[in-house]
Amino acid sequence: MRPDSLGFCRQLFVRHLRCGVRRVEDVLNSLVFFLMVVTLFPLGIGPDSNTLRELSPGIFWVVALLSALSVSGRLFSADFEDGSLEQLAVSGHPLGLCAMAEVLAHWVLSGLTLVVAAPVFALMLNMVPAAIPTLMLSLVLGTLCLSLLGGIGAALTVGVRRGALLLSLVMIPLTVPVLIFGTSAVGEAAIGYDPSRWIALMGAFAAMGLLLAPLAIGAGLRISLEQ
Amino acid sequence: MWKIIHKFGSPPWFFRFATKAVQWLLPLMLIALVVGCVWGLLYAPPDFRQGNSYRIIFIHVPAAVVALAGYYVMAFAGLVSLVWKIKMADVAMRAVAPVGAALTFVALVTGAIWGKPTWGAWWVWDARITSMLILLFLYLGVVALFEAYENPEVAAKACAVLSLVGTVNIPIIYKSVDWWYSLHQPASIKFTGESAIDASMLYPLLVNIGAFYLLFAVVVMMNMRATLLETHTNAAWLREAVD
Amino acid sequence: MYFDSLNAAWDMAGHGPYVWSAYAITMAVVASLIILPHRRARRAQQLLVQVSSGGTGDADQDPTTGGGNASQA
């Protein structure tokens, strides 16, 4: 690790953020994907508003998971292909930390935008309005967890053929706790109970992820580069 | 302790050890399995609430226990491979993954078959079965990752990282599924009474659990032997051992 | 034995099909778990013997007899 590593990673983060913001289509793309999948559920289950209200926390989180999955696939592929990942690996800066800059920038662009758009989707699914603040809080933490897990999966599968399918297989079981914590938090809030223990669990999971993900992502990227 | 790991890390030593171990343990395992199954099927009394269908427990629980333990064995092998760079640990990991997946599959299928006469449905999303299903996905992920990489050494490293991440997550997954289930559970019915199991049912269960652990060890060693035979065709020690 | 007759054991008060099919599937998996690596090892072993004795002797030698008088040069 070089003495200027932290500063370097911060610059990387800002750079990724700026690039992402410039490519508005990517951000809009994930929102539109979310909207379309949310539309599929009433089409599949029926428009009965009571059923939708009951199922809305679950539907919301499943859709959040699916969109996180589809977006994570592209996390490192561009850098892998054009060689900049290799440059980072030999630069002397810790690879895991540099990758975290990209993962976090990606989280801000995809996860946090979802949080902002969440009330609209929640109302479309007829969610109890009192639950929406809990939804947004749990989404902040939850999308962070999903981005971290997506980063790990992407790091392990970036160099592999048909990596996208493999990424789903690898990532989905690991995201089950996020799904459960998130839906439980929103579900409890919807019926008037206190969701704080679920939020706390989600927060603990996120904290653990922030500590361990750089290790796993760094290791995974080095392994992928070895190919 | 360190010497033992180093001995296992030597292909010739392991090959000789595994050959002899399998010769002894395979018959022992078969005997234990037959004893446990016959005992559980024909000699143990039926359950007060579930009648005779509970006899599936004697294969369901051992399969589930060993499947879960197997994942930790796989992850440990991955750790050894990553940290000490012992090739035999790679071979071990690769051997364990499909075996663990198969045992998880057995646990799921027997669980489902058990569920039908007990609750009237082939599949019930209770905490344990759901956790087993997720364990199956975790195993399949490792198996798929092994196949995805062309270089087996690099594949082993990737799978080691994945199994370690999975290991950290497994307790969290199990606990969260447990909470999820108790949150949505209809009022009274519990899966298996956590009440103390009667001795007449406990003993055959223990015998079969032992049999399944032996099965795991035997099959993994057999797979490792086969891999060594397939990949070390030029090694003099192997030709000597085979003749 | 707990059951009165083999027939009763087969039927298990109506639960027979479930119990026996569960055991059958399990034993099938256990059997294949054992047989597959055994076959793999045997095939690899035969290949190994062929490779190490094929250089000097008859290529059509029966591998199970171990290459007859082929000297392990």
Side-chain angles (χ1 to χ4, degrees), chain A residues 10-59:
Chain A
R10 204 179 316 133
Q11 284 179 338
L12 257 187
F13 173 69
V14 172
R15 238 255 264 112
H16 280 297
L17 217 53
R18 280 218 202 100
C19 285
V21 166
R22 239 175 268 151
R23 285 160 45 219
V24 188
E25 328 88 67
D26 278 352
V27 174
L28 283 182
N29 223 320
S30 48
L31 284 180
V32 171
F33 173 79
F34 202 94
L35 178 64
M36 288 197 293
V37 180
V38 162
T39 313
L40 287 176
F41 275 90
L43 287 174
I45 311 174
D48 175 38
S49 40
N50 285 321
T51 323
L52 283 179
R53 171 174 306 140
E54 239 187 278
L55 299 176
S56 56
I59 295 176

Side-chain angles (χ1 to χ4, degrees), chain B residues 5-233:
Chain B
I5 291 191
H6 257 282
K7 277 217 203 121
F8 273 100
S10 143
W13 189 90
F14 182 85
F15 190 83
R16 285 194 299 271
F17 170 81
T19 311
K20 255 187 290 168
V22 169
Q23 270 175 356
W24 282 94
L25 293 180
L26 182 59
L28 182 63
M29 181 275 288
L30 289 171
I31 294 174
L33 192 61
V34 169
V35 166
C37 288
V38 169
W39 193 349
L41 276 171
L42 301 176
Y43 288 88
D47 181 71
F48 171 65
R49 262 176 299 152
Q50 296 181 26
N52 281 308
S53 66
Y54 94 102
R55 296 183 191 278
I56 298 181
I57 200 179
F58 299 114
I59 42 173
H60 172 78
V61 168
V65 165
V66 176
L68 185 55
Y71 196 93
Y72 284 94
V73 168
M74 185 173 68
F76 180 71
L79 185 69
V80 170
S81 163
L82 278 179
V83 174
W84 288 284
K85 314 217 189 300
I86 296 182
K87 290 277 195 58
M88 286 302 292
D90 290 356
V91 178
M93 237 199 324
R94 198 174 198 135
V96 170
V99 175
L103 288 174
T104 314
F105 174 76
V106 167
L108 281 172
V109 170
T110 52
I113 297 179
W114 189 0
K116 183 67 164 109
T118 316
W119 306 292
W122 283 111
W123 188 267
V124 175
W125 290 96
D126 90 308
R128 254 167 264 185
I129 293 238
T130 309
S131 299
M132 273 285 128
L133 187 59
I134 298 175
L135 184 65
L136 182 65
F137 296 153
L138 287 169
Y139 267 119
L140 291 179
V142 174
V143 171
L145 200 60
F146 255 124
E147 303 299 318
Y149 280 83
E150 286 162 2
N151 182 334
E153 279 186 36
V154 179
K157 279 194 228 175
C159 291
V161 173
L162 183 59
S163 343
L164 287 170
V165 173
T167 306
V168 171
N169 229 323
I170 282 183
I172 303 177
I173 294 175
Y174 264 67
K175 217 44 206 159
S176 64
V177 172
D178 213 12
W179 287 325
W180 161 79
Y181 183 68
S182 58
L183 210 58
H184 296 265
Q185 190 196 27
S188 49
I189 310 166
K190 268 222 119 172
F191 178 23
T192 41
E194 298 292 50
S195 50
I197 186 172
D198 188 61
S200 58
M201 302 177 189
L202 181 62
Y203 292 140
L205 183 61
L206 291 177
V207 169
N208 262 3
I209 290 180
F212 269 74
Y213 267 114
L214 282 175
L215 171 73
F216 178 80
V218 164
V219 173
V220 168
M221 281 195 286
M222 286 176 76
N223 271 297
M224 289 175 72
R225 262 189 97 249
T227 305
L228 285 176
L229 281 166
E230 285 168 353
T231 54
H232 281 74
T233 33

Side-chain angles (χ1 to χ4, degrees), chain A residues 156 160 166 173-174 224 226-227, chain B residues 144 148-149 154 157 169 173 176:
Chain A
L156 286 170
V160 155
L166 191 57
L174 300 173
S224 293
E226 231 177 277
Q227 265 217 115
Chain B
Y149 280 83
V154 179
K157 279 194 228 175
N169 229 323
I173 294 175
S176 64

